[in-house]
């Protein structure tokens, strides 16, 4: 808890007036949204884009000015959590099911800061099942294709009902085991008809990772 908050607040301090800010999703990103809300209250002037319905309502609660994508020139900074971060800064995201909107925002941002506690650091991605957003139509066939690529996909459920993303899609949690080449796997998954997006976020788009520790340290790499 403390570690997530420390990382989130340190990254939020990078935001300057005049910036267009991408708000992440999840418990760590929520700390960033809260901090940004405090900064706005103290006079920070920004416009924000939310990566999920939940983040949008939290931003509204903290009076963070939101904007639409219409006429948007660029996003200056995005701050978002992760489920796994490898030593090269490749990520697995989507534990909360918001991976598609997060990816659109994070990958289109000039600066992308990842925030996490130390529990998210791994040598190699893959212990956390990879979330993949898939179209509901014919999803049984899409799952078969995912199996052929080498994973055991499980349709995410909430109280025995399928979890439905903000975009009306399903999430397949895919157990691959160790992911040796995230870039290659992402490309192969994106070739499957019915796959909308994967939770593999390439290090190429990551500016820095802020890792919080329970002893109060924040490491940036
Ligand atoms: C949301 O879909 C995810 O990508 C989150 O960013 C990720 O699951 C991290 O969540 P926590 O900050 O709650 O651990």
């Amino acid at each position: 808890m403390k570690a997530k908050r420390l990382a989130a607040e340190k990254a939020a301090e990078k935001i300057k007036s005049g910036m267009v800010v991408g708000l992440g999703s999840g418990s760590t990103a929520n700390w960033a949204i809260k901090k940004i809300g405090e900064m706005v209250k103290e006079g920070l002037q920004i416009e924000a884009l939310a990566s999920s319905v939940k983040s949008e309502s939290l931003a509204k609660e903290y009076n963070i000015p939101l904007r639409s994508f219409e006429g948007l020139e660029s996003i200056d900074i995005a701050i978002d959590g992760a489920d796994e971060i490898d030593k090269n800064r490749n990520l697995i995201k989507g534990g909360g099911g918001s991976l598609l909107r997060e990816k659109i925002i994070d990958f289109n941002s000039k600066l992308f800061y990842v925030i996490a506690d130390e529990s998210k650091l791994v040598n190699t991605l893959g212990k956390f099942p990879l979330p993949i957003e898939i179209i509901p139509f014919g999803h049984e066939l899409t799952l078969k294709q995912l199996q052929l690529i080498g994973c055991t996909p499980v349709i995410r459920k909430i109280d025995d009902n399928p979890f439905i993303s903000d975009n009306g899609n399903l999430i397949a949690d895919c157990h691959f085991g160790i992911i040796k080449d995230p870039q290659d796997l992402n490309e192969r998954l994106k070739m499957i008809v019915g796959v909308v997006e994967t939770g593999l976020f390439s290090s190429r788009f990551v500016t820095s990772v802020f890792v919080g520790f329970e002893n109060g340290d924040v490491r940036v790499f």
Side-chain angles (χ1 to χ4, degrees):
M1 167 84 93
K2 182 180 163 197
K4 287 183 177 187
R5 182 178 187 165
L6 284 171
E9 294 189 343
K10 198 85 177 165
E13 285 165 10
K14 297 280 178 194
I15 299 171
K16 304 275 175 279
S17 275
M19 284 183 161
V20 174
V21 180
L23 305 174
S25 299
S27 58
T28 318
N30 286 352
W31 283 115
I33 295 172
K34 189 165 189 277
K35 173 73 177 171
I36 295 166
E38 287 165 12
M39 291 161 72
V40 165
K41 204 172 171 187
E42 286 162 12
L44 179 78
Q45 293 192 329
I46 55 155
E47 285 185 315
L49 296 149
S51 61
S52 63
V53 171
K54 277 188 188 161
S55 293
E56 185 178 329
S57 56
L58 198 59
K60 284 180 181 161
E61 197 182 309
Y62 291 122
N63 297 312
I64 299 172
L66 291 165
R67 60 157 296 148
S68 73
F69 287 88
E70 204 181 332
L72 181 67
E73 296 288 336
S74 62
I75 301 173
D76 296 300
I77 183 169
I79 298 177
D80 205 350
D83 299 300
E84 275 189 353
I85 305 163
D86 76 11
K87 50 187 186 301
N88 299 317
R89 304 189 304 191
N90 293 301
L91 318 173
I92 285 183
K93 285 181 53 53
S98 309
L99 61 111
L100 174 58
R101 293 188 185 192
E102 290 175 334
K103 212 169 199 179
I104 290 171
I105 287 180
D106 298 343
F107 280 20
N108 282 294
S109 183
K110 289 181 205 159
L111 299 168
F112 172 29
Y113 292 124
V114 181
I115 50 177
D117 64 19
E118 59 182 310
S119 70
K120 306 297 180 65
L121 299 176
V122 297
N123 281 327
T124 316
L125 300 179
K127 193 169 176 209
F128 191 92
L130 177 67
I132 300 179
E133 182 152 346
I134 62 173
I135 295 281
F137 180 86
H139 71 271
E140 295 86 348
L141 297 174
T142 308
L143 292 181
K144 281 198 190 347
Q145 294 294 333
L146 288 171
Q147 272 169 349
L148 289 175
I149 277 197
C151 75
T152 313
V154 178
I155 290 291
R156 190 178 298 179
K157 293 202 169 161
I158 292 192
D159 300 333
D160 280 346
N161 295 312
F163 171 91
I164 304 294
S165 76
D166 287 347
N167 317 296
N169 295 318
L170 300 170
I171 301 288
D173 289 309
C174 296
H175 299 254
F176 279 99
I178 295 238
I179 297 174
K180 286 193 191 129
D181 188 340
Q183 187 69 31
D184 173 67
L185 178 60
N186 191 55
E187 280 166 19
R188 286 190 293 138
L189 290 169
K190 293 290 294 275
M191 295 294 285
I192 298 175
V193 179
V195 166
V196 182
E197 194 48 83
T198 86
L200 281 171
F201 283 48
S202 166
S203 60
R204 280 183 296 141
F205 301 92
V206 175
T207 308
S208 300
V209 178
F210 289 72
V211 186
F213 294 83
E214 282 302 320
N215 68 3
D217 288 348
V218 177
R219 200 182 113 214
V220 183
F221 73 103

